[in-house]
Amino acid sequence: MKILKIQALRGPNLWSVKRKKLIQMRLDLEEMEQSPTDKIEGFRERIEAMFPTMIEHRCSEGCKGGFFMRVERGTWMGHVIEHIALEIQTLAGMDTGFGRTRETKTPGIYNVVFSYTEENVGVFAAESSVRIAEALISGTDYDLEGDLQKMREIRERVRLGPSTGSIVEEAVARDIPWIRLGTNSLVQLGYGINQLRFQATITCKTSNIAVDIACDKEQTKRMLNMASIPVADGDICVDEEDLEDTIKKIGYPIVLKPLDGNHGKGASINVKTWEEAVEGLAYAKKYSRRVIVEKFVTGFDFRVLIIDNKLVAAAKRVPANVVGNGKNTIQELINITNKDPRRGYGHENVLTQIEIDRDSEDLLEKYGYTVETIPANGEVVYLKSTANLSTGGTSVDVTDMMHPENIFLCERISRVIGLDICGVDIMAENLTQPLKENGGCILEVNAAPGFRMHLAPSEGLPRNVAAPVIDMLYPPGKESRIPIIAVTGTNGKTTTTRLIAHIVKNNGYKVGFTTSDGIYIQNHMMEKGDTTGPLSAEYILKDPTVEFAVLETARGGILRSGLGFGRCDIAVMTNVAEDHLGLADIHTLEDLAKVKSVVVRSVKKDGWAILNGEDEQCVKIGESLDCNVAYFSLDEENPFIKKLSKEGKTVAVYENGYITIKKGEWKIRVERATHVPLTLNGKARFMIANVLAATLASYLWGFKTDDISLSLKTFIPSVAQTPGRMNIFEFRKFKVLIDFAHNPAGYRGIEDYLNNIEAAKKIGIIAGVGDRRDEDIKECGLIAGRMFDHIIIRQEKYLRGRTEQEIIDLILEGINEANSNTTYEIIPLETEAIKHAIDTVEEGAFITALSDVVANAIDIVQDYLDKENEEQNV
C-alpha cells in the first residue's frame, strides 16, 4: 500500500461542515485491492488481539463489536486503516471517533478520512495506521507502544497548555470563535475589530506594569508590606556576606529561591544549617544573580486564584511524594504511584507522572536516602521541593473553606499588584482562619497562574476557572464576531465580492475582502495573488481594523484544507459550470456543486444562502439547506422564480430593464440596469446576474435600497475596481476588452456581450489551460470560433502537464467545429500576441483578450493607450 497524499482539513469541508478537524489521506491499496480482510488468514484474530478496545467500534452495524463483524465478513483495507487511525489516537489519550472511507473514481485508490484533536498527531496517525495494517496483514510484530508514546510526545509539544486550552474550550462553549496565532499559546478570541488576545493566562487586558511587579519578587514584597499584608521576613542576597547578615536577622529555618525564578526552579526549603544555606545560595544563583532569603514558614502551600479582582478558586498543593510501606524502595513506590490511572504523560491526565530529577536527588540526599532506600511504613517521602502539578504534585480544592477575611485579603492583593488574573501563594496551617491569627503569610504573587490544579484537583470539587476569564473579556452584550459574507461559484465570484464590499464600505463599515487577485482592507491591497483560500480568509479575520468581511471562496482552498471560517452570515453561489473537472476527484458538475455547497452549508441557521435560480445545481443545493434561502434570476418569467413569488418568498430579478427585489408579488425597483456601470449599459447580461446576487445579499443583510442603488451607480468597472473583469480600453479608432474568462461558461458570457455590440471586426486573443478536460478546451475553441472574426492563439503558460501543441490542437478542433469563416494565427507569447493585434488593428475593430495573466495584458494595453494620449496632447 502507498500513501499518495495526506491533507489536514481545518474548517468546514467536503466531508463534514460541523466536524472541521479531519485528516484526509489518499491511499493506493495496490495489490491489497484484491484482498479484503476475510481473504487474509488470521487477520481478524490479530487485529482483535492488538486492539481489544476496538470492540467499542460500532461501525455501520450499529452495535458493540460491529467493526469486528465487518472484518469477519470482509472489508477493504482502507476502512480498516480508518479505524486503526482513530483507535491509536484514543489509546494515546486523544479520544476521537468520526471517520469515512470512500473509493475514488480510480479503482484501488481511496480517500481515508478521520478526525483528529492535534493536527501533527493526526498526520502521524495516518502514517502509523498504514504501517500497523501492513504488519497485521503479514503477521509480523509491531511496536504499538512506541508509536503511542511518540504521539503523546508530539501532542505535548504542539498542544495548547491546560490553562490556555480551558479558556479556548469555554470560548467555544459560548460560540466565540478563536484562532491560534503561531505555534505557542498565543490565541485570538473573536474576529476583526471584536478580537481579544491572551497567552496562557495573560490577557490583552493584563497590565504590563503589574506583570513586571509580580515578576520582581522584591518589589512585590515591598508593596504588599506597605499595604499591611503579611509577608515572610527576609531580604535579597547576592553573596555569602549578605546571606550571613540576613540569617542573623531572621534566624533559621530559611527558604532560598532565585529572584527571577519560576516553577520552583533553584529553590531550597527548610534550610537549617550554614552549610545547607551556602549550598542553597549557589543552587539559586544558577537561575538568578540575586536570591531571595526568607524565614521558612511552617504549614501548607496554598494557591488562591483571583480573576477580575474576585476570588474564584483556592487549592492546597502537595509536592510529589510517596508513602512508605516498609517493603518497597522509593523507586518501586514511584512506579506504583505512576500506575494511578489519573496520572499521565505531560498534561494528558489530572495528575502528572513522577520522575526523578536533580531536585529529587537533592531532597533525598538531605534525608540521607537514595531511590533504592526502603522508607518505613507510613513515612511520607517528598520528592520535589515545590508543589507544582507539572512535576507530579497533587492539589486539593479548599475554595469553600476560605475565611471571608482571607478572601478580602486576596482580592485586595490583586488590586494592589494590579493583575486581572492573579495567583496568590500562601503558606499557612489552614485558610479557615484569618492569616493574622494562624501566622500564615503571602509567599508570592503570580502573573499567568496555572489553572490545572483548579480545573482538575486530585481531591475536592473541580472549578471552571476559565468561565470568569471569558466573563471578563466578553461580558454580556459584547460581540465577538464580525459579519461575514462568503461568495462562491464558478464564474462571477470576484466581481460579486468586490461589488458587495463596495456596498458595505459605502454603508460606513471598515471592510476587508479577499479575491482572486488579492487581499484588500478598505480598498488597500495588502497581498497580491490568488487569495481565495482559508489562509486569506483568516488574514482578514485576524485584522483588528476590520468590521465586516466579504470573502471570495474558491474550490481549491475548500479541497486543500476546508473553509477559513466556521460559519458565515450570508453566502452567495453565483453558478456552477464546467471548470476544473477531472481534478482532485471532481469529475462531474454534481461533484463540483458538492464542493461549492460547503460554503452555503456553513451559513448560520438564521442567515441567508443566495443562489442562482436559473442554475440546476444551485436549485438542488437550495432544497437541502437548513438556513434561509433566496434566489436571483435574469428571467422574471422563470417558472421556479414565479413559484417562489407566489409563495411570498423574496427574490431578485431583472425585469423591464430594472434590478428588482420581489417580495411575493410586490416589486422594489432598486435601479435601472443601464444606470449601473458594471452592466456596460445593460449589454453584459452575466454582469447583471452578478449585480442581482450582490443586491439581494445586501438587501437581506439589511442595507436600504437607496443606499444599495447609490453604490451600484458608483461602482465603475475599471482596472482599479475590477481588474480583469470586463475592462474596456477606448482608443480613438478601436476598443480593447480584457477579461479573465477561462472556461466555457465564461466564454459564453463574453459571446452574449459581443452579440450586443457593433464592430467592424471582432478579434479574439485566447489560450487554453492544460489541466482542464479535452472537451472543455475544445468547447472554448468552438465558442471563440462563433464570436470572433479572427483569433490569435497564444499558449506559453499554464500547460500543467500538456505540451503547447496539444492544447493548440484542441482549440483548433473547437474552432473548426464552429463551421465559421473565422481565421486564426498562432503567436505563442501573450505580450507579442496583444502587441500584434493592436499594431495591425483596423478602424472600428473590437479586440478581446481572454487572459489568464490579467496584470500583464492590462499593462501592455495601458502603455499603448498612454502613448496615444501623449501623441494627442503634443
Side-chain angles (χ1 to χ4, degrees), residues 336-509:
I336 293 168
T337 301
N338 283 341
K339 288 181 181 177
D340 184 338
R342 294 177 302 168
R343 290 192 183 270
Y345 182 82
H347 293 145
E348 70 179 352
N349 285 347
V350 174
L351 301 174
T352 299
Q353 292 184 346
I354 300 171
E355 294 181 0
I356 295 294
D357 58 11
R358 166 67 191 277
D359 184 31
S360 310
E361 291 169 352
D362 288 348
L363 275 175
L364 291 175
E365 188 178 337
K366 287 181 180 179
Y367 299 137
Y369 289 173
T370 71
V371 291
E372 299 305 317
T373 301
I374 299 176
N377 188 32
E379 180 184 359
V380 178
V381 180
Y382 289 100
L383 299 165
K384 305 289 177 183
S385 58
T386 61
N388 291 318
L389 268 67
S390 58
T391 59
T394 57
S395 66
V396 180
D397 178 74
V398 295
T399 308
D400 296 330
M401 302 177 191
M402 281 194 71
H403 191 282
E405 190 167 320
N406 290 336
I407 294 173
F408 166 76
L409 181 73
C410 292
E411 292 179 345
R412 185 161 170 261
I413 287 170
S414 73
R415 290 186 183 275
V416 168
I417 304 302
L419 287 169
D420 59 341
I421 300 178
C422 177
V424 178
D425 290 347
I426 299 174
M427 184 64 73
E429 286 299 323
N430 58 65
L431 294 182
T432 58
Q433 295 175 285
L435 296 189
K436 64 184 179 184
E437 292 182 13
N438 64 18
C441 67
I442 308 303
L443 297 180
E444 282 184 13
V445 178
N446 298 272
F451 284 1
R452 187 179 173 203
M453 70 186 76
H454 308 296
L455 293 165
S458 42
E459 293 180 42
L461 285 176
R463 305 284 173 172
N464 182 7
V465 294
V469 176
I470 299 299
D471 291 339
M472 176 178 68
L473 297 177
Y474 287 98
K478 180 174 173 57
E479 280 290 337
S480 63
R481 296 176 179 270
I482 59 173
I484 298 175
I485 296 180
V487 181
T488 192
T490 302
N491 294 307
K493 298 188 296 295
T494 299
T495 301
T496 305
T497 298
R498 283 180 169 277
L499 179 54
I500 293 172
H502 179 73
I503 295 169
V504 171
K505 182 175 181 292
N506 284 356
N507 276 272
Y509 287 92

Side-chain angles (χ1 to χ4, degrees), residues 287-335:
Y287 298 91
S288 174
R289 190 180 70 83
R290 305 172 74 201
V291 177
I292 295 175
V293 179
E294 292 177 336
K295 184 74 174 177
F296 176 66
V297 181
T298 58
F300 296 100
D301 182 352
F302 293 96
R303 163 63 64 81
V304 178
L305 180 65
I306 302 98
I307 297 174
D308 201 17
N309 306 127
K310 297 181 182 65
L311 183 137
V312 297
K316 182 170 78 171
R317 301 187 296 178
V318 182
N321 66 84
V322 292
V323 180
N325 58 14
K327 300 175 184 176
N328 295 102
T329 67
I330 290 173
Q331 185 61 62
E332 288 169 343
L333 291 169
I334 291 172
N335 295 341

Side-chain angles (χ1 to χ4, degrees), residues 86-126:
L86 291 169
E87 185 63 14
I88 59 177
Q89 288 184 88
T90 299
L91 292 174
M94 291 156 279
D95 194 11
T96 186
F98 175 82
R100 293 284 184 272
T101 299
R102 298 289 183 268
E103 188 174 18
T104 68
K105 294 282 173 67
T106 307
I109 295 180
Y110 290 75
N111 281 317
V112 179
V113 178
F114 57 88
S115 53
Y116 65 86
T117 57
E118 295 295 338
E119 183 178 312
N120 294 30
V121 177
V123 172
F124 182 89

Side-chain angles (χ1 to χ4, degrees), residues 574-614:
T574 58
N575 45 61
V576 182
E578 302 93 339
D579 199 17
H580 298 285
L581 299 183
L583 300 173
D585 300 323
I586 308 302
H587 298 280
T588 65
L589 271 183
E590 287 73 16
D591 293 338
L592 186 59
K594 188 176 179 184
V595 176
K596 294 184 181 297
S597 74
V598 172
V599 180
V600 291
R601 292 184 196 284
S602 72
V603 175
K604 64 182 186 180
K605 203 165 186 65
D606 60 345
W608 285 91
I610 311 296
L611 302 170
N612 188 333
E614 298 173 18

